[in-house]
């Protein structure tokens, strides 16, 4: 609860002015409602002929006395009309149309900004969140929070109204008011009991919803695979099963929500019934028609206020679940966000060399989140303008090593990454113009070739040059709109080789001093690959690459052999071949001619 | 324009068929609840008039007791009605969702280029869920409240004809005015929802490639792009809010007017001695009761408006039948079901096949070859030479522009695509592992496949050892957020999927492109087992990986430049294949 409130306060930062204005206006509206109740009381006292005067034959008396009274009564009605008019202008002209959208969309924008920001700062952590859940956090959950914030300002007004109206009712009749409070208390208790069950079912619905959204997202994301397997029916049936489970959960949730809502919603009629029962014996003397009008009117608004207060707990619960997940998404990153490998005092100063290497990695340990797989105590160095090749068997930890060096995977304390002798082991340091990276399976987003390569830059000359260097020029030339061709969702329309070359162009366009490439050649034909390596290795940038290609290994100034997460050997190709049996095995496979 | 939203919603009625029982029950519960609400003010009138005229306490107590009973009954009825309506709504919208999923999954590639996954999820799930909410209120509240409005008018008429004479035209005017406002906000709400879907699609894709963006220093640019979208959404939301409040503002204003009207008329009639205090009280009660259905209709109407937008978007989605690949793939007129393909390996024939994606840019020109049953063909050539297209034509993804593609004696364009794919397995470099159990991943959610067949397929793919290491065996959950797999393991799972289907023709499109040579080696035995005794077409850009095929087809810019026995070509130093083998080794 406390955590939820402080999270909400954090979300509100920047739009608290709108929030409190809205709260103030709601209080004003409810004060108007109180006044309308009092006006009704006087009006019906006037019609009925006054509280105490309502004896036998009152109808005739009221009729005769009405000549003077009618003007007064019409004046009272005019007041009601004036208050209602003012309320309309305020509520619809200002609050709902201006203040609420500002609050709601201000808050959702802030949250989405921070979620995407987190994902971009710590992609490794957020990558572990299943796709359905990530989408739900930035979608549904954020919307829940925004909606709550736009609605929350009504609450203070409701509480004030409850207090004031109960005070007024007490001055009219203590017994009836106390009895009504008892009834309202009972209603609240019943709803609180039902509420517990409701929340259980709500969570179940949420989980089931995430399953549906996740399965659906995956099915449409991997639709090519589904169609290729002619499994459309089975996948539809699978989603249908998840859908049914969610439907059952949602119906149960709706049942408990309905009980709660209907008990609260019918509290007013029940209350009026109670008033009638209690005053049936003495309606003539102490409890007049005006009082009945006041009680009837207040009870309705009280029930509304009570409903709103009842909803407060539901909404608060919902919003805390939503905020929990939003925070979990961000928090997963926050928990591990302490810059790894930087225990302030314990840092051993880098042993000075005459010329620091461009990149120097020592004692680097990093694991795949949640597993023991990764690299242990790895070290390597890259000299400016040279090629260093990381090689090794399947699952040896080559990719992990690159990602840990780049700060995309949190490293354990104790290791260090130095750039020109300067500590570099923090996320966002080894990026262009220092470093560029082509991952093993690059991902594109829906947008033009230009957008996917430039990623927000505006430099067409660099774009053309990068496409040329990445041997992508002929491919782009063949596309109908050239560089403005939209490569479909996630680059669906491009072949694996084209995606890889596009990712290389994306790296080249930033002219990094160090290019880190993870097995770029796997989807390329030999000829294209030969040209590409020739261009990458022109000496203008250092290259750190994962590769198995004999030609690349031969061109390397330094080969780093990784076995079971450890650097087994480092040196020239001949040196590592001499030092490592594993490397000799790999070399034999890689250079083997097609067996006939 | 005003009635188009209703017409759109009517389309949903189709999904209601088969729900007669619950509907009949609702038809009973709803009017009963309305009746109970209507008698309450009448009770109040009797009570007030009785009290003022000095009726005996016993009578007043009886009236009070009846009033309480009506309130309790109303609580029970509305709860029951809500439950019925919710069940009906979910069952109905689930049917709609199933139809949409089925529809989407059958659309060809261009459809998915228009609609990113995030957008589709928002439509199929978000829009339909919004509908579920509206459906229950549509069924219950809209009907009940409309009935209530009529009931109130009738009750007023019984109370006092003057009151009824004032209120009837007022209510009619109100409804007419409100009806004119219906749908005014729809274009603005549509604009807002389009903006939301666009934003969600953007977020989904950017979250998916967060690492690429970060490592390339594109985070600031991505945040700027987000800012643009947030700005657009805010602008549209504000405009939508301004237009949307017009309707509830009108309702509120009119209902306030009705209360004031009731009071003025009551005071006037009462002053003339024509109306008892109790009747005045009941008139106010009815006027206030009138506010409730109008308000409820309003509240529902806002949901309804956004639901109408949702329905519109869904209808649009369901209407998208364009962009079919020519030929038998995906929907369209069903080709005549010819004789079934014979059992066992099938022969394949390309006769002077030409193909292009864009007119004037031929991808394949005059490609011909023949494969006997059980014969395996390797296709090589540079990137863009049209290799993959050969496979795609055989898989029924495209129809040749000229010439014919024949499988097992039948031209593929005349075959039902599903019958075709039951016989043909395609293995590409992309393997999608679903966030689901291994069992579902292998059988693609087909629950009728028994475990023995699954274990058999895993064994054929050489995954028995891997399976032993899985904590829950076939029930181990794989995929994003669960157990990670190496690229090699994923490809072996793809092979196991193929074994499970026991295809007559195996198509491979660079299956090992994502793998390093070592992993590739591990895959070879399983691939050889899969190709053994089956007709196959294998596309490879690394020719040395083609050691288990019988024939070789070399393509260059969409034309066959070489075709022959693999061993003969490999041994001939003058052949293109020989040349390719040697660049391959040098690289």
């Amino acid at each position: 609860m406390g955590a939820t409130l402080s999270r909400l306060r954090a979300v509100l930062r920047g739009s608290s002015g709108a929030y409190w204005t809205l709260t103030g206006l709601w209080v004003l509206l409810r004060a108007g409602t109180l006044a309308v109740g009092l006006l009704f009381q006087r009006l019906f006292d006037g019609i009925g002929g006054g509280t105490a005067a309502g004896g036998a034959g009152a109808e005739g008396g009221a009729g005769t006395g009405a000549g003077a009274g009618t003007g007064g009564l019409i004046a009272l009605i005019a007041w009601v009309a004036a208050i209602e008019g003012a309320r309309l202008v305020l509520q619809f002209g200002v609050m709902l149309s201006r203040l609420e959208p500002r609050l709601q969309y201000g808050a959702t924008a802030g949250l989405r900004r921070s979620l995407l920001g987190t994902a971009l700062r710590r992609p490794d952590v957020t990558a572990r969140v299943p796709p359905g859940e990530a989408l739900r956090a930035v979608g549904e959950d954020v919307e829940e929070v925004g909606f709550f914030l736009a609605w929350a300002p009504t609450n203070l007004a409701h509480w004030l109204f409850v207090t004031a109206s109960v005070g007024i009712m007490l001055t009219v009749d203590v017994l009836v008011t106390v009895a009504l409070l008892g009834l309202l208390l009972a209603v609240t208790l019943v709803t609180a009991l039902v509420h517990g069950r409701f929340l259980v079912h709500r969570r179940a619905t949420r989980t089931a919803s995430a399953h549906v959204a996740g399965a659906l997202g995956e099915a449409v994301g991997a639709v090519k695979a589904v169609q290729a397997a002619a499994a459309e029916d089975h996948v539809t049936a699978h989603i249908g099963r998840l859908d049914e489970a969610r439907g059952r959960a949602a119906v149960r949730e709706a049942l408990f929500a309905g009980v709660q809502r209907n008990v609260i919603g019918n509290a007013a009629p029940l209350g009026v019934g109670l008033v009638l029962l209690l005053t049936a014996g003495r309606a003539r003397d102490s409890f007049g028609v005006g009082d009945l009008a006041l009680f009837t009117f207040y009870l309705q608004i009280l029930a509304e206020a009570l409903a709103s207060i009842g909803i407060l707990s539901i909404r608060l619960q919902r919003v805390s679940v939503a905020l929990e997940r939003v925070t979990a998404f961000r928090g997963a990153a926050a928990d591990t966000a302490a810059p790894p490998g930087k225990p302030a005092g314990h840092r051993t100063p880098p042993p000075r060399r005459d010329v620091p290497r461009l990149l120097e990695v020592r004692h680097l340990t990093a694991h795949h989140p949640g597993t023991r797989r990764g690299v242990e105590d790895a070290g390597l160095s890259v000299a400016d303008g040279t090629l260093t090749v990381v090689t090794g068997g399947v699952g040896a930890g080559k990719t992990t090593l690159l990602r840990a060096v780049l700060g995309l995977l949190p490293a354990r304390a104790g290791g260090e990454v130095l750039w020109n002798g300067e500590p570099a082991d923090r996320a966002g340091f080894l990026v262009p113009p220092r470093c560029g990276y082509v991952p093993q399976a690059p991902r594109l987003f829906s947008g033009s070739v230009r957008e996917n390569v430039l990623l927000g830059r505006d430099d067409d000359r660099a774009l053309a040059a990068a496409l040329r260097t990445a041997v992508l020029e002929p491919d782009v030339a063949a596309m109908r709109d050239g560089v403005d061709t939209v490569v479909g969702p996630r680059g669906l329309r491009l072949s694996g080789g084209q995606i890889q070359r596009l990712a290389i162009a994306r790296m080249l366009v930033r002219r990094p001093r160090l290019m880190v490439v993870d097995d770029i050649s796997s989807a390329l034909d030999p000829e294209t690959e030969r040209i590409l390596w020739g261009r990458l290795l022109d000496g203008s940038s250092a290259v750190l690459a994962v590769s198995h290609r004999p030609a690349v290994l031969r061109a390397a100034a330094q080969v780093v052999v990784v076995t079971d997460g450890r650097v087994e050997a480092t040196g020239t190709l001949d040196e590592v071949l001499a030092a490592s049996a594993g490397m000799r095995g790999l070399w034999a496979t890689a250079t083997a001619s097609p067996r006939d | 324009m005003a009635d188009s939203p209703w017409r759109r919603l009517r389309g949903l009625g189709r999904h209601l068929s088969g729900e007669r029982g619950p509907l009949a029950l609702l038809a009973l519960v709803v009017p009963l609840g309305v009746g109970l609400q209507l008698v309450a003010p009448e009770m109040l009138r009797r009570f007030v008039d009785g009290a003022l005229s000095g009726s005996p306490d016993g009578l007043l107590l009886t009236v009070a007791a009846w009033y309480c009973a009506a309130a309790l009954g109303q609580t029970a009825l509305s709860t029951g009605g809500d439950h019925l309506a919710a069940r009906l709504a979910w069952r109905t919208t689930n049917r709609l969702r199933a139809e949409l999923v089925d529809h989407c999954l059958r659309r060809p590639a261009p459809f998915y280029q228009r609609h990113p996954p995030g957008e589709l999820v928002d439509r199929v799930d978000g829009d339909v869920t919004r509908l579920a909410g509206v459906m229950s209120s549509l069924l219950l509240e809209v009907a009940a409240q409309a009935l209530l409005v009529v009931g109130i008018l009738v009750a007023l008429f019984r109370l006092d004809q003057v009151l009824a004479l004032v209120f009837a035209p007022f209510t009619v005017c109100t409804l007419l005015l409100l009806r004119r406002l219906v749908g005014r906000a729809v274009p603005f709400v549509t604009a807002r929802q389009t903006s939301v879907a666009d934003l969600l699609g953007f977020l989904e894709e950017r979250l998916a490639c967060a690492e690429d963006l970060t490592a390339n220093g594109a985070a600031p640019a991505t945040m700027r792009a987000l800012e643009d979208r947030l700005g657009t959404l805010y602008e549209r939301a504000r405009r939508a809010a301004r237009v949307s409040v017009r309707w509830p503002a009108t309702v509120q204003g009119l209902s306030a007017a009705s209360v004031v009207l009731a009071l003025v008329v009551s005071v006037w009639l009462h002053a003339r001695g024509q109306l008892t205090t109790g009747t005045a009280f009941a008139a106010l009660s009815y006027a206030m009761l009138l506010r409730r259905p109008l308000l409820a209709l309003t509240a529902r109407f806002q949901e309804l408006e956004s639901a109408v937008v949702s329905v519109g978007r869904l209808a649009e989605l369901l209407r998208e039948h364009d962009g079919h690949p020519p030929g038998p793939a995906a929907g369209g007129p069903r080709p005549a079901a010819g004789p079934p393909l014979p059992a066992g390996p099938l022969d394949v024939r390309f006769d002077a096949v030409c193909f292009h994606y864009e007119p004037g840019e031929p991808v394949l020109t005059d490609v011909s070859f023949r494969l006997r049953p059980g014969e395996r063909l390797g296709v090589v050539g540079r990137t863009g030479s049209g290799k993959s297209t050969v496979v795609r034509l055989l898989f029924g993804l495209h129809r040749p522009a000229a010439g014919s593609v024949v499988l097992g004696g039948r031209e593929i364009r005349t075959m039902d695509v599903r019958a075709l794919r039951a016989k043909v397995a395609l293995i590409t470099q992309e393997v999608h592992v679903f966030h689901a159990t291994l069992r579902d991943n292998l059988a693609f959610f087909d629950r009728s496949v028994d475990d023995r067949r699954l274990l058999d397929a895993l064994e054929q793919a050489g995954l028995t050892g891997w399976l032993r290491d899985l904590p829950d065996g076939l029930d181990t959950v794989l995929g994003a957020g669960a157990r990670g797999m190496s690229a090699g393991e994923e490809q072996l799972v793809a092979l196991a999927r193929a074994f499970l289907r026991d295809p007559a023709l195996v198509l491979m499109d660079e299956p090992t492109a994502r793998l390093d040579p070592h992993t590739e080696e591990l895959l070879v035995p399983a691939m050889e087992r899969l190709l053994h005794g089956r007709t196959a077409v294998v596309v490879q850009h690394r020719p040395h990986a083609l050691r288990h095929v019988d024939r070789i087809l070399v393509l260059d810019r969409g034309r066959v430049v070489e075709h022959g026995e693999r061993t003969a070509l490999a041994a001939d130093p003058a052949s293109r294949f020989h040349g390719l083998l040697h660049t391959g080794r040098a690289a």
Side-chain angles (χ1 to χ4, degrees):
Chain A
M1 184 64 172
T4 305
L5 286 185
S6 66
R7 280 171 192 162
L8 282 173
R9 255 198 300 279
V11 175
L12 255 186
R13 210 171 293 140
S15 41
S16 56
Y19 184 86
W20 291 113
T21 313
L22 202 53
T23 307
L25 288 175
W26 276 114
V27 172
L28 197 63
L29 286 194
R30 285 296 162 235
T33 313
L34 276 176
V36 169
L38 290 171
L39 288 168
F40 277 174
Q41 184 190 29
R42 294 187 56 187
L43 194 64
F44 275 92
D45 275 343
I47 296 175
T51 314
E59 282 306 304
T64 47
T70 306
L73 293 178
I74 296 293
L76 289 177
I77 297 172
W79 270 110
V80 172
I83 291 173
E84 284 289 317
R87 184 175 76 92
L88 281 174
V89 171
L90 265 186
Q91 191 174 353
F92 295 104
V94 180
M95 295 157 71
L96 296 185
S97 61
R98 284 159 218 274
L99 291 174
E100 280 193 3
R102 191 183 303 165
L103 252 178
Q104 186 175 348
Y105 289 91
T108 50
L111 277 173
R112 284 178 172 143
R113 219 174 267 139
S114 114
L115 284 172
L116 184 61
T118 307
L120 292 175
R121 260 193 316 282
R122 298 300 310 277
D124 60 302
V125 178
T126 43
R128 268 188 295 160
V129 181
E133 265 171 47
L135 193 57
R136 189 179 54 182
V138 296
E140 227 177 283
D141 288 340
V142 166
E143 254 149 42
E144 185 84 57
V145 175
F147 186 68
F148 180 85
L149 284 176
W151 168 84
T154 56
N155 284 287
L156 182 64
H158 281 134
W159 282 107
L160 288 176
F161 176 82
V162 169
T163 317
S165 61
V166 168
I168 292 170
M169 285 156 75
L170 277 173
T171 63
V172 174
D173 193 310
V174 178
L175 176 71
V176 174
T177 309
V178 169
L180 285 178
L181 282 180
L183 174 75
L184 293 181
L185 198 68
V187 164
T188 317
L189 274 178
V190 168
T191 49
L193 284 176
V194 175
H195 192 59
R197 297 292 309 276
F198 165 76
L199 289 178
V200 173
H201 292 300
R202 161 143 211 99
R203 269 177 201 273
T205 313
R206 276 301 181 92
T207 316
S209 265
H211 289 160
V212 173
L216 190 57
E218 258 199 312
V220 295
V223 67
K224 278 190 347 192
V226 174
Q227 289 177 348
E232 294 96 330
D233 288 341
H234 300 310
V235 173
T236 304
H238 169 64
I239 294 173
R241 281 191 293 270
L242 294 175
D243 246 347
E244 269 166 37
R246 190 251 307 263
R248 281 193 298 274
V251 167
R252 274 196 294 271
E253 180 196 332
L255 176 65
F256 285 94
V259 169
Q260 200 165 316
R261 189 177 55 239
N262 284 312
V263 169
I264 292 174
N266 285 294
L270 283 172
V272 173
L274 192 65
V275 171
L276 297 185
L277 280 176
L278 288 175
T279 60
R282 53 200 178 86
R284 271 148 300 183
D285 15 281
S286 60
F287 200 88
V289 194
D291 297 331
L292 186 60
L294 177 84
F295 272 60
T296 311
F297 184 72
Y298 276 3
L299 262 174
Q300 236 170 45
I301 315 289
L302 262 178
E304 270 171 37
L306 200 71
S308 177
I309 289 164
I311 291 172
L312 173 67
S313 58
I314 302 175
R315 292 250 165 101
L316 209 57
Q317 192 68 35
R318 278 195 200 192
V319 86
S320 66
V321 172
L323 272 172
E324 221 169 85
R325 270 197 302 253
V326 169
T327 317
F329 188 86
R330 280 188 305 191
D335 291 343
T336 45
K342 276 195 157 183
H346 295 273
R347 172 142 250 167
T348 42
R352 284 271 148 236
R353 288 174 200 239
D354 295 333
V355 186
R357 292 294 188 108
L358 182 64
L359 182 76
E360 184 93 49
V361 176
R362 289 191 213 120
H363 309 301
L364 190 68
T365 296
H367 290 135
H368 268 289
T371 68
R372 303 292 310 158
R373 284 169 39 182
V375 286
E376 303 274 349
D377 196 24
L380 61 89
S381 66
V382 179
D384 209 352
T386 67
L387 167 65
T388 301
V389 176
V390 176
T391 195
V394 197
K398 306 177 296 283
T399 299
T400 315
L401 177 61
L402 292 196
R403 294 180 62 223
V405 167
L406 290 172
L408 295 169
L409 203 63
R412 289 281 181 76
E416 52 189 3
V417 178
L418 301 173
W419 177 266
N420 275 329
E422 186 190 343
D425 45 3
R426 52 182 184 268
F429 185 85
L430 287 181
V431 297
R434 294 184 192 96
C435 233
Y437 175 48
V438 177
Q440 207 171 5
R443 303 192 83 153
L444 309 179
F445 51 82
S446 315
S448 63
V449 171
R450 182 204 304 276
E451 286 165 341
N452 268 292
V453 171
L454 287 175
L455 296 177
R457 297 199 167 196
D458 192 15
D459 188 347
D460 276 6
R461 289 247 301 282
L463 172 69
L467 291 179
R468 200 175 320 121
T469 312
V471 206
L472 200 60
E473 216 176 21
D475 300 71
V476 172
M479 293 178 194
R480 191 195 275 178
D481 300 321
V483 289
D484 292 315
T485 307
V486 173
V487 290
R490 297 180 170 172
L492 270 185
R493 274 165 101 182
L494 301 188
S495 74
Q498 285 172 323
I499 293 175
Q500 232 161 9
R501 280 174 288 147
L502 198 142
I504 291 166
R506 184 157 77 181
M507 170 180 75
L508 289 170
V509 85
R510 290 168 168 70
R511 300 192 190 92
R513 275 188 72 192
L514 172 66
M515 300 194 283
V516 180
V517 289
D518 194 348
D519 215 1
I520 48 170
S521 44
S522 54
L524 304 177
D525 61 85
E527 181 59 15
T528 310
E529 185 184 345
R530 202 182 51 75
I531 300 171
L532 193 58
W533 275 113
R535 291 180 182 174
L536 289 180
L537 300 179
D538 64 353
S540 59
S541 303
V543 178
L544 173 61
V546 167
S547 184
H548 316 277
R549 301 275 171 254
V552 178
L553 285 163
R554 283 195 196 104
Q558 187 185 213
V559 176
V560 178
V561 183
V562 182
T563 310
D564 288 338
R566 293 179 179 275
V567 173
E568 196 195 354
T570 306
T572 61
L573 178 61
D574 291 337
E575 284 166 6
V576 296
L577 279 174
S580 157
M583 181 62 201
R584 284 193 292 275
L586 289 169
W587 181 254
T589 323
T591 51
S593 56
R595 271 176 256 150
D596 281 287
Chain B
M1 150 97 211
D3 63 343
S4 68
W6 299 107
R7 200 173 303 152
R8 283 180 184 175
L9 280 175
R10 221 174 292 154
L12 282 177
R14 177 162 54 91
H15 294 278
L16 274 175
S17 57
E19 298 287 352
R20 295 245 163 73
L23 276 175
L25 207 55
L26 265 183
L28 202 70
V29 167
V30 169
L32 257 173
V34 169
L36 287 182
Q37 286 188 67
L38 284 174
V39 297
E42 173 62 22
M43 303 271 180
L44 278 176
R45 183 186 70 83
R46 289 192 188 171
F47 186 88
V48 170
D49 283 345
L52 287 176
S53 62
S55 302
D57 287 355
L59 191 69
L60 292 182
L61 266 177
T62 314
V63 173
W66 275 111
Y67 189 96
C68 287
L72 282 173
Q74 163 67 14
T75 313
L77 281 177
S78 48
T79 308
D82 281 356
H83 181 64
L84 272 174
R87 246 181 41 193
L88 211 55
W90 275 100
R91 288 224 293 258
T92 315
T93 46
N94 271 349
R95 251 170 252 156
L96 174 64
R97 207 180 278 112
E99 183 188 329
L100 281 165
V101 171
D102 190 58
H103 176 81
C104 287
L105 289 182
R106 287 177 203 286
R107 298 277 75 72
F111 176 85
Y112 286 91
Q113 280 152 20
R114 280 195 302 274
H115 307 291
E119 187 203 317
L120 283 178
V121 172
D122 184 52
R123 287 199 183 184
V124 175
D125 201 38
D127 278 352
V128 177
T129 307
R130 266 188 286 278
L131 266 187
V134 176
M135 286 284 294
S136 49
S137 48
L138 248 190
L139 288 166
L140 195 66
E141 238 161 320
V142 175
Q145 306 299 3
L147 208 59
L148 193 55
V149 173
V150 176
I152 288 168
L153 284 180
V154 172
L156 280 173
F157 189 80
R158 284 196 48 221
L159 272 187
D160 190 292
Q161 292 174 3
V162 180
L163 273 174
L165 282 179
V166 173
F167 267 86
F170 178 82
T171 311
V172 170
C173 289
T174 304
L175 286 176
L176 284 178
L177 186 59
L178 291 180
R179 192 167 152 70
R180 279 194 49 183
L181 279 176
V182 174
R184 283 285 162 86
V186 169
F188 297 92
V189 177
T190 313
R192 188 191 65 202
Q193 274 175 227
T194 312
S195 210
V196 169
D198 172 57
L199 176 67
L200 286 180
F202 171 86
L203 282 170
E204 198 224 2
E205 284 189 17
R206 295 315 187 276
L207 286 174
C209 61
E211 190 168 296
D212 293 43
L213 294 170
T214 306
N216 286 298
T222 309
M223 295 307 282
R224 276 199 302 280
L226 173 70
E227 241 17 83
D228 285 350
R229 282 172 172 82
L230 289 175
T232 313
L233 172 61
Y234 179 53
E235 232 0 90
R236 289 179 174 183
R238 244 182 27 183
R239 236 172 294 150
R242 279 209 196 129
V243 182
S244 299
V245 296
R246 280 184 208 158
W247 160 278
T250 312
V251 173
Q252 286 272 22
L254 287 169
S255 95
S258 78
V259 167
V260 169
L261 199 64
L263 290 175
V264 171
V265 173
S266 298
V267 166
W268 177 62
L269 288 173
H270 187 261
R272 294 168 45 140
Q274 294 176 350
L275 195 83
T276 65
T277 309
T279 310
F281 205 96
L284 178 65
S285 295
Y286 278 125
M288 300 237 281
L289 194 59
L290 192 60
R291 165 189 278 205
R292 256 171 69 180
L294 288 183
L295 271 179
L297 281 172
T298 311
R300 291 304 154 211
F301 225 90
Q302 279 194 309
E303 283 174 34
L304 213 60
E305 277 189 341
S306 77
V308 167
V309 173
S310 297
V311 171
R313 301 203 312 172
L314 293 177
E316 221 170 81
L317 206 60
L318 280 173
R319 263 200 307 274
E320 284 191 48
H321 283 291
D322 59 323
H324 285 308
R334 289 259 148 166
L341 287 168
L346 300 169
D347 66 314
V348 169
R349 205 171 75 227
F350 265 55
D351 279 334
V353 170
C354 296
F355 180 76
H356 55 75
Y357 293 97
E358 305 289 342
E361 297 171 25
V363 177
L364 290 182
T365 312
D366 202 21
V367 172
S368 301
F369 64 86
R370 262 159 211 263
L371 286 178
R372 285 187 304 275
E375 205 170 25
R376 295 159 301 181
L377 175 76
V379 185
V380 291
R382 286 202 45 179
T383 303
S385 59
K387 305 184 296 279
S388 297
T389 308
V390 171
V391 161
R392 296 172 69 85
L393 286 167
L394 271 169
F395 202 55
L397 288 166
H398 306 297
R399 182 152 53 164
S404 56
V405 180
V406 181
L407 173 68
R410 287 188 56 194
E411 212 173 316
I412 281 184
R413 77 173 87 192
T414 66
M415 286 169 63
D416 177 61
V417 74
R418 317 203 44 162
L420 171 71
R421 288 182 188 171
K423 287 276 184 189
V424 181
L426 172 65
I427 291 164
T428 67
Q429 56 176 298
E430 286 169 41
V431 181
H432 190 88
V433 176
F434 288 89
H435 180 71
T437 58
L438 171 60
R439 182 194 312 280
D440 281 342
N441 262 300
L442 287 177
F444 267 95
F445 304 100
D446 182 352
R447 293 286 162 93
S448 65
V449 179
D450 65 38
D451 284 9
R452 225 196 45 249
R453 283 182 59 204
L454 294 174
L455 295 173
D456 208 43
L458 285 171
E459 193 191 331
Q460 297 259 39
L463 278 170
T464 313
W466 176 73
L467 174 70
R468 253 199 304 277
D469 287 344
L470 293 180
D472 302 315
L474 286 171
D475 293 313
T476 308
V477 176
L478 308 174
R483 194 185 170 81
M485 290 169 74
S486 71
E489 287 162 350
E490 289 185 354
Q491 197 55 266
L492 285 174
V493 165
L495 291 179
R497 283 172 177 166
F499 278 116
L500 192 61
R501 294 171 57 193
D502 189 18
L505 169 67
V506 177
L507 304 172
M508 291 190 178
D509 189 0
E510 310 199 359
T512 55
R514 277 171 60 218
L515 308 179
D516 55 79
H518 184 69
T519 314
E520 201 174 326
E521 282 304 309
L522 295 179
L523 243 71
V524 167
M527 283 175 46
E528 275 173 356
R529 269 197 296 278
L530 182 61
L531 295 184
H532 180 78
R534 294 186 172 96
T535 318
V537 176
V538 181
V539 167
Q540 276 290 9
H541 59 247
R542 304 200 159 273
H544 67 264
L546 286 172
R547 52 190 109 114
H548 33 248
V549 301
D550 309 307
R551 304 171 71 83
I552 292 289
L553 188 76
V554 184
L555 286 176
D556 188 28
R557 283 175 210 149
R559 288 175 185 276
V560 178
V561 290
E562 200 166 277
H563 183 198
E565 294 286 326
R566 180 180 56 87
T567 40
L569 289 177
D572 175 6
S575 77
R576 288 202 181 220
F577 183 61
H578 186 84
L580 282 168
L581 275 175
H582 286 264
T583 4
R585 213 170 326 160

